[in-house]
Each structure stands twice: as C-alpha cells, then as structure tokens.
Amino acid sequence: WSGSACETDYVQLAYGVSGCPPGRGITTKAQCERAFAALGLHITLGWEEPIDYIPVGCSVQGSVSSGVKSDGGHWNTAPSGTGRDNQAPICMQTTTTTTTAEVTTTTTQACSSFADEASCPTDRCVWSGSACKVRDGGGGLKSIKEVKIEAP
C-alpha cells in the first residue's frame, strides 16, 4: 500500500489485446490466480485449456461496460493466441529500475501524468474524455499514484 492506493506487480490490459508484451507474460496458473487477487478481481479461474482464439496465458472475460464475470478467469496454455473483444490479458506491470549502492527505486509513470488521449497508455490506463485514468479490475476508473520505492 502507498497512502490510500494499493500497488501491484500486475496490470489488466485492454479488452481485445492478443497477449502480454514480451517478457511481461504470467508464466503459471498459480501466478495468474495471485494476479487476480492482487488486482482486486474477486473471480475464479473458470477456464483452462489450450486454444488459439483468446489471449495466451492469463486473461479475464468481461467488458468495459459490465466488468469482469465472476467465473471469468482464463488460463490459456496455447503457445499463441489472438485478441477477443471480451477478453483482457493480465500481465506483469512495466517498471523501470535504477540501482545504486544504497537504494533501488522502481517507478511507474502515473496515468494522470499523461495530458492527452494520444499519450494515455492503453495497457493500464483509459482516457475518460478529459483525463488519463488508471483502469481498475471492474472496468471502471480510479485515480491512484503509481510510484513504488523499495529499499534493498
């Protein structure tokens, strides 16, 4: 926790995306279930199978307007997949790490720091018409500070 915001190592990408960027995929079913909990998604892993017409790896089924289905957790073991308008991949969060002799700082740029729709990163944020806001697991919007500092 940081102030009133919960920080997580995971992010829900946009519905319709085919999978996680290279190096950000979730690699185990157990990690997928931990990611659901870390993102505040109160869902079960309702589907596990290798199939190529949904995102590969960990994803959720639902929509921006209705949120995630309660049994909408998916673990796709296929080597590749495709985007589907009612599936959103769950991935590892993008971070930048700087190491010094005393402190390691991990920083993720806050969604609210992007001034226009073109610069708002759709993998973890959504443009609300007037501001770039962080996505929540239920398809709504939250404004949170996304800066994490860790001591070695």
Side-chain angles (χ1 to χ4, degrees):
W1 288 87
S2 173
S4 62
C6 182
E7 308 238 346
T8 178
D9 293 330
Y10 305 101
V11 62
Q12 178 181 326
L13 300 187
Y15 289 95
V17 175
S18 62
C20 298
R24 290 184 45 207
I26 290 175
T27 57
T28 68
K29 178 180 165 184
Q31 185 183 23
C32 182
E33 291 171 321
R34 283 192 304 273
F36 296 154
L39 290 169
L41 301 173
H42 303 288
I43 62 173
T44 60
L45 194 58
W47 189 87
E48 178 182 359
E49 188 176 343
I51 199 148
D52 63 0
Y53 60 82
I54 67 169
V56 69
C58 188
S59 67
V60 293
Q61 184 177 21
S63 70
V64 171
S65 62
S66 65
V68 176
K69 293 173 55 175
S70 63
D71 64 346
H74 286 68
W75 178 244
N76 184 6
T77 58
S80 64
T82 57
R84 198 166 88 178
D85 65 352
N86 68 342
Q87 293 286 138
I90 304 295
C91 305
M92 297 297 294
Q93 182 73 268
T94 301
T95 59
T96 304
T97 302
T98 305
T99 304
T100 66
E102 297 176 12
V103 177
T104 299
T105 303
T106 303
T107 305
T108 301
Q109 191 170 1
C111 293
S112 60
S113 67
F114 297 96
D116 56 43
E117 185 173 10
S119 64
C120 184
T122 59
D123 67 334
R124 61 188 174 85
C125 308
V126 64
W127 186 254
S128 69
S130 61
C132 189
K133 305 276 186 170
V134 71
R135 292 182 181 276
D136 76 6
L141 303 176
K142 296 190 282 191
S143 292
I144 65 170
K145 184 174 181 182
E146 298 175 20
V147 177
K148 181 167 104 177
I149 299 176
E150 303 171 345

